[in-house]
Amino acid sequence: MATKPLALQRGDVIGIVTLGSPLEAAVIDARIDVLRRTGLGVVLGRHVYDATGFLAGPAAGRAEDLMTMFADPRVKMILPTRGGVGVEGILPYLDFAYIANHPKIVSGYSDITALLNALYQQADLISLHSLLLIDFKSETPAYNFEQFFTATSSIEAPRPILNPPGKPMTGKVPGIATGPIVGGNLTSFVGMLGTPFEIDTRGKIVLIEETHEPVNTVYRYLEQLRLAGKLNDCSGILIGECTGCVEAYGVTYEELIDNYLVPLGKPLISNLASGHGVYKAAIPIGANAVMDGAEGTIALLEPAVRYPGMV
């Protein structure tokens, strides 16, 4: 089993970092105000407000901020401001051996997918495909916060991953699949192929979600995953939303799943609330889970966090 970071408790300090694209200072400050109102403290990375075009400064500086948070004994959890682009650029600068010996909760989605999977594969650390700092705002659904705070504090196992009421997951291919969950944002997933941080899907449940890509582009990415063996090696496929993914040549996202992924014969569930959608389930990357493709259910077989004294 992978390493579980210590659970988050009221009064703990969150380390805020910007690891990919920049975010406006006013937005960062407003989101921090909301975060503090939940009873958590905040420490800012030195480069949190940096902006150089579409990147939040050089990769080495962004990586330095992340490593500083892992080294700071006050910090119990690390929360990126946003994803965007550029997160993969920090990976060569990270000391994964140090991270493995100083495990902490890391949460995010979108381009943060690259970091979450690298933490699991390089440091054997469970992380969360869940909220970013940008999601801490008054209009964020209560479901998202409930998912986030449950995942960062609960040691219940097994524990089902549930969509919000009235938005059921859909079983597409029957069968039981078990294994650690990997993956996340499809663009980021594909972008890691051929690098030292390529995602290992062997015996894993693969999570896939995307945003604002036409369906023919989504097909191209899925075909690249298939040719790389990632869809053949996995034990099951968990499909999240594709927000703003417009149909192409009359083919919708759901039809693409039915026509391309279902024939692979892997246990498959679609319509998981995740990533870029309005509703965001908290999915632990690296935690063992079991999915039932007939019933359209998935449950965690282990918690994502631990308390002092627990293994």
Side-chain angles (χ1 to χ4, degrees), residues 81-102:
T81 58
R82 63 167 299 181
V85 298
V87 176
E88 68 278 6
I90 73 171
L91 300 182
Y93 296 96
L94 301 182
D95 185 339
F96 289 102
Y98 185 89
I99 292 171
N101 289 316
H102 299 80

Side-chain angles (χ1 to χ4, degrees), residues 104-293:
K104 296 181 181 182
I105 302 172
V106 179
S107 176
Y109 60 94
S110 194
D111 208 49
I112 303 298
T113 289
L115 174 63
L116 302 182
N117 287 275
L119 290 174
Y120 170 51
Q121 292 184 188
Q122 306 291 328
D124 200 31
L125 176 62
I126 293 174
S127 58
L128 291 176
H129 190 272
S130 185
L131 302 187
L132 293 160
L133 177 66
I134 199 171
D135 298 304
F136 281 80
K137 52 187 177 180
S138 59
E139 57 266 38
T140 294
Y143 166 86
N144 296 5
F145 291 128
E146 183 276 331
Q147 285 280 303
F148 176 83
F149 286 109
T150 296
T152 55
S153 65
S154 175
I155 56 172
E156 176 189 356
R159 179 172 65 83
I161 295 174
L162 301 173
N163 267 10
K167 296 182 177 294
M169 287 179 268
T170 304
K172 291 278 191 178
V173 179
I176 304 296
T178 59
I181 302 173
V182 297
N185 178 251
L186 180 58
T187 301
S188 298
F189 194 167
V190 168
M192 303 307 292
L193 296 178
T195 76
F197 306 100
E198 180 173 314
I199 298 175
D200 181 0
T201 63
R202 291 172 294 181
K204 312 295 197 307
I205 294 172
V206 175
L207 168 66
I208 296 172
E209 68 86 39
E210 189 52 274
T211 186
H212 290 91
E213 295 284 2
V215 168
N216 57 325
T217 299
V218 176
Y219 163 79
R220 176 184 294 161
Y221 292 155
L222 290 174
E223 180 67 3
Q224 189 172 354
L225 288 184
R226 188 188 69 81
L227 291 172
K230 302 303 177 182
L231 300 180
N232 297 324
D233 289 345
C234 69
S235 63
I237 302 173
L238 188 59
I239 301 293
E241 297 171 80
C242 198
T243 57
C245 294
V246 296
E247 67 178 54
Y249 300 91
V251 178
T252 67
Y253 179 58
E254 283 299 318
E255 289 171 334
L256 177 65
I257 294 169
D258 290 340
N259 297 336
Y260 183 73
L261 293 181
V262 168
L264 297 177
K266 300 283 184 177
L268 189 151
I269 296 172
S270 69
N271 202 41
L272 172 67
S274 65
H276 293 85
V278 172
Y279 297 101
K280 305 180 193 300
I283 313 297
I285 299 299
N288 281 290
V290 57
M291 59 178 284
D292 186 327

